[in-house]
């Protein structure tokens, strides 16, 4: 039996002869000999584990020499050296290693990786044998564990002693073709790396013995790296770029390890950023971000403490590839140049932030759901986690997932009879806010009312959390047109925060931002800016300007600037807010859609047609994706798109969008508001453009009644509405009704003492038109003269409407025989027309906006 066994050994080895350079010849096709040899070596491998075979190197050499065709002793040694085995004659051959080596198909393959099982078992044993703790860093074990492993093994790439760790271990349980590449830093603890990979396999239900990871410390030949360093040579950036690029594209899946969760060392290392760049922007491979199990526990503790969300935004906001470090400055320079000439720093940072955000969400939600399924958490702890995780999901725009988590928290609180507590009121507040965001105002109000009662009954109303509830309730009132009620609740919330010493917090800044928006809606821009500046000082002091709350504040400030006609300043605020939302992954949310709508409005006012259409379309996609189109903010967006669509000539589609916006406001009970009246006026303007003055009159009158009922008639928008109503009635030959509307306008202007305004000029022009229709040329001429005098005084004389008014005045003068005046007015009209023509030639025309469908500058700023 021994002789027969030795004969089979010879037969098997001859099927895997050694070629020049130390490479094992592996036949590309499955020949009968190779298949037989594989079966033999598989059997030998099993026998070797049972210690049945005991043969020395010199005996093996004699066998090969005796069995023709003879295999020379040097060739036998070559095989043993490639397997990392001793060639000393008296040494016993380790057939387990030899068999694994011979059968291993991927020795020397650039994508050869180490199995998770091998790292979890053998690598950790080797570390312990070298007196390394579980927490030893990669750079600490490299000289004592990693390099020594392959010191006596010939490298399959160059045939020299000193192989990479991965090419010094053999067998399917140890190494194989990698499906994943680990992106990490050498400053991570080896134990954390192994635990993370094991947890990854467990979460994906992968067999650890067959999950192979390409990891640079184990798969790059560190012997050659150290040799180059000893000679004073630096491995060129291009070599590393090629090596890493091949592995990223070859595996097709990056596992990026982040630790610690709230300040990942990963994003501060330039080579890690390069790997992320290559994966996302070059080969577009899959990226999965993971963290050590211990970090998941720390994340849970942060969430329970209430600091979790702020830490999330800080991590995302601080991502900046330009601040990453490298041990070799030239590498950093090369990588930054590559990124800058490719997607650019901002796009790179944003894309990386998207992956980080997805990882954090998965970690938070996954940790919670795992804990809930295991049943290891107390109901109170689990319910609090549901509130925090649900709040994060809500902020990101994952509403369905947030609703599921909130419902679980509600179930736990009802189960433990803990809903009638302060924590229960906080949960109900969050659920109500989610319903409001999703367009269920009635459901939101009901939950807000329950939370309000609980805060009162538990004597916890004087708390920051109750102030947040008041802020949400105030916004709900504002959406229904109750601006005084909104302000009252905001001021009450402010009083609570001041009395509890919590105004200088992120919640205080959010409240002040909302208060500023309410002041702006009331027309008090100075008070609005004062609230915004106070909120900004708080945010800057807390270092939270680069959070979603900071983006909301900037958006609100931009709205005020736009109302003040400071378009460039408004656009700067909006763009900075957009930058923050991109970095924090909150642009694809309802608040992000509102921001894009605001940007679209300011671009339209600057005649950037393509730009503002793009913004509106992006906002629409977000609203549809998040299910928030049928909300107040969705109605505002539809109104903007409908107006623009109508002005571009698609009157049917434009009118349909405007009427859809009206329908949404009716559903959300926000039509009988100032904003609702403006929307109705837009629909009426559209009907006037289409020649349906009868329908327009009815709509104008409806808007008039809404404004009169809400005491919002004595405003610029009210004056504009009455002017249009007068014009529509005149089209219907209702001159008396038209004059009545103009008379109301004049009374309001006199009462407001704002006779020197553009709205006053418009009203006077309409009055002149009506007098002309009645055949009273002198009174018509007098009204037009007053209109032109107002335009002159406010610097608005050089416009097309003014030129047309002068032409009307010429006709009136001809009727009453004032020929000299007619000549002067004709010359004035020609002078204005000439100026306008010269101005038009100096600019490229970008669109033809309808005169009646004026841009509504009352924008809806995001309020959380």
């Amino acid at each position: 039996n021994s002789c027969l066994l030795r004969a089979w050994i010879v037969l098997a080895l001859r099927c895997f002869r050694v070629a020049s350079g130390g490479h094992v010849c592996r036949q590309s096709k499955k020949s009968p000999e190779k298949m037989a040899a594989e079966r033999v070596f598989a059997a030998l491998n099993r026998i070797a584990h049972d210690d049945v075979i005991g043969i020395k190197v010199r005996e093996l050499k004699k066998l090969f020499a005796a069995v023709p065709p003879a295999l020379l002793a040097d060739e036998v040694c070559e095989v043993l050296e490639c397997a990392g085995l001793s060639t000393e004659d008296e040494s016993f051959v380790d057939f387990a290693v030899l068999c694994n080596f011979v059968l291993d198909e991927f020795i020397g393959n650039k994508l050869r990786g180490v199995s998770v099982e091998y790292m979890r078992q053998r690598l950790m044993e080797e570390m312990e044998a070298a007196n390394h703790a579980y927490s030893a860093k990669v750079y600490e074990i490299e000289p004592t564990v990693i390099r020594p492993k392959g010191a006596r093994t010939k490298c399959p790439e160059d045939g020299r002693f000193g192989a990479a760790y991965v090419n010094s271990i053999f067998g399917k349980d140890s190494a194989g073709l990698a499906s994943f590449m680990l992106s990490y830093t050498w400053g991570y603890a080896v134990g954390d790396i192994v635990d993370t990979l094991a947890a990854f396999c467990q979460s994906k239900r992968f067999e650890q013995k067959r999950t192979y990871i390409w990891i640079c410390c184990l798969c790059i030949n560190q012997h050659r790296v150290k040799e180059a360093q000893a000679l004073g040579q630096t491995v060129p950036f291009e070599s590393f770029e090629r090596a890493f690029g091949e592995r990223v594209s070859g595996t097709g899946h990056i596992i990026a390890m982040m630790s610690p969760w709230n300040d990942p060392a990963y994003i501060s290392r330039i080579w890690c950023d390069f790997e992320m760049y290559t994966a996302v922007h070059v080969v577009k491979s899959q990226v999965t971000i993971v963290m050590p199990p211990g970090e998941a526990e720390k994340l849970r503790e942060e969430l329970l403490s209430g600091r979790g969300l702020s830490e999330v935004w800080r991590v995302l906001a601080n991502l900046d590839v330009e601040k990453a470090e490298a041990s070799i400055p030239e590498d950093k320079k090369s990588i930054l140049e590559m990124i800058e000439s490719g997607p650019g720093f901002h796009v790179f940072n944003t894309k990386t932030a998207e992956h980080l955000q997805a990882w954090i969400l998965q970690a938070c939600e996954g940790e919670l759901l795992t804990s809930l399924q295991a049943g290891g958490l107390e109901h109170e702890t689990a319910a609090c986690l549901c509130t925090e995780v649900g709040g994060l999901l809500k902020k990101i725009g994952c509403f369905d997932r947030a609703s599921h988590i909130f419902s679980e928290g509600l179930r736990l609180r009802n189960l433990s009879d803990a809903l009638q507590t302060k924590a229960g009121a906080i949960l109900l507040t969050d659920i109500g806010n989610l319903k409001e965001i999703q367009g269920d105002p009635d459901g939101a109000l009901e939950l807000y009312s329950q939370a309000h009662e609980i805060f009162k009954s538990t004597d916890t109303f004087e708390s920051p959390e109750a102030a947040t509830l008041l802020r949400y309730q105030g916004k709900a009132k504002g959406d229904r047109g109750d601006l005084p009620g909104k302000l009252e609740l905001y001021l009450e919330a402010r009083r609570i925060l001041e009395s509890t010493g919590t105004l200088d917090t992120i919640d205080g800044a959010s409240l002040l931002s909302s208060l500023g928006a309410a002041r702006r809606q009331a027309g008090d821009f100075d008070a609005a800016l004062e609230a915004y500046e106070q909120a900004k000082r708080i945010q800057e002091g807390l270092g939270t300007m680069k959070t979603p709350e900071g983006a909301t504040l900037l958006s609100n400030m931009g709205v005020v600037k736009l109302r003040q006609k400071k378009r460039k300043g408004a656009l700067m605020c909006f763009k900075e807010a957009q930058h923050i939302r991109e970095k924090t992954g909150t642009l694809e949310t309802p608040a992000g859609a509102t921001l894009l709508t605001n940007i679209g409005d300011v671009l339209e006012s600057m005649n950037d047609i393509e730009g503002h259409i793009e913004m509106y379309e992006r906002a629409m996609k977000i609203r549809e994706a998040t299910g928030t189109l049928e909300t107040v903010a969705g109605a505002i967006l539809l109104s903007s798109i409908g107006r623009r669509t109508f002005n571009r000539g698609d009157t049917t589609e434009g009118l349909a969008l405007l009427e859809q916006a009206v329908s949404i406001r009716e559903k959300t009970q926000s039509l009988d508001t100032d904003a609702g009246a403006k929307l109705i006026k837009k629909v009426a303007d559209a009907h006037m453009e289409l020649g349906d003055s009868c329908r327009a009159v009815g709509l104008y009158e409806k808007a008039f009644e809404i404004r009169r009922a809400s005491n919002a008639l004595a405003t610029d928008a009210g004056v504009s509405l009455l002017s249009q109503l007068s014009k529509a009635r005149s089209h219907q030959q209702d001159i008396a009704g038209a004059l009545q509307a103009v008379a109301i306008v004049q009374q309001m202007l006199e009462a407001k003492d704002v006779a020197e305004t553009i709205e006053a000029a418009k009203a006077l022009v309409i009055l002149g038109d009506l007098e002309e229709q009645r055949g009273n040329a002198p009174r018509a001429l007098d009204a037009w003269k007053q209109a032109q005098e107002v335009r002159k005084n406010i610097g608005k004389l050089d416009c097309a409407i003014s030129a047309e008014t002068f032409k009307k005045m010429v006709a009136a003068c001809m009727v009453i025989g004032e020929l000299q005046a007619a000549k002067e007015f004709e010359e004035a009209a020609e002078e204005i027309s000439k100026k306008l023509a010269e101005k038009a030639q100096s600019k490229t025309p970008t669109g033809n906006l309808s005169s009646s469908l004026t841009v509504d500058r009352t924008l809806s700023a995001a309020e959380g």
Side-chain angles (χ1 to χ4, degrees), residues 366-380:
E367 175 68 14
L368 173 60
L369 293 176
T370 300
S371 299
L372 290 175
Q373 290 172 359
L377 293 177
E378 294 182 357
H379 284 171
E380 179 63 25

Side-chain angles (χ1 to χ4, degrees), residues 34-54:
K34 183 176 180 181
M35 293 172 66
E38 288 179 350
R39 288 196 295 273
V40 171
F41 269 100
L44 289 175
N45 199 0
R46 289 193 295 272
I47 295 169
H49 280 297
D50 295 332
D51 294 325
V52 174
I53 299 176

